Amino acid sequence: PPSLTSEEWSRFFHIYKPPDDPSFPTLGMLLGQHVAGVWYWCLDQAIVQRVLSTRTVHHAKASCLLAGFLKITPMFLMACACRP
């Protein structure tokens, strides 16, 4: 963007920020992403309800795979839509 200086622009190309960074601290990112990932992939209400409502272990595994497929499908759709 034209409103950013070259020094401000270069900050966007560093993956790990210093621990005292006010907008994106590394420690918070490392610890927080695990909690968010576990919630999103393991404790989501849709997955939990699918597993608890099944009659067999086979159906529970299949429902987890279906829920995971439904969750990751939008990423592939966006990736395909962004291609020129």
Side-chain angles (χ1 to χ4, degrees), residues 12-13 35 42 60 63 71 80:
F12 291 106
F13 296 104
V35 173
C42 301
S63 67
K71 279 189 165 197
C80 292

Side-chain angles (χ1 to χ4, degrees), residues 25-40:
T26 302
L27 184 61
M29 187 266 310
L30 292 175
L31 296 177
Q33 284 301 90
H34 293 299
V35 173
V38 166
W39 172 80
Y40 186 76

Side-chain angles (χ1 to χ4, degrees), residues 20-53:
D20 59 347
D21 188 59
S23 62
F24 198 70
T26 302
L27 184 61
M29 187 266 310
L30 292 175
L31 296 177
Q33 284 301 90
H34 293 299
V35 173
V38 166
W39 172 80
Y40 186 76
W41 289 106
C42 301
L43 300 176
D44 187 28
Q45 190 66 22
I47 295 176
V48 171
Q49 284 182 343
R50 286 175 194 263
V51 171
L52 292 177
S53 67

Side-chain angles (χ1 to χ4, degrees), residues 47 50-51 59-69:
I47 295 176
R50 286 175 194 263
V51 171
H59 287 159
K61 290 179 181 179
S63 67
C64 284
L65 288 174
L66 175 65
F69 176 75

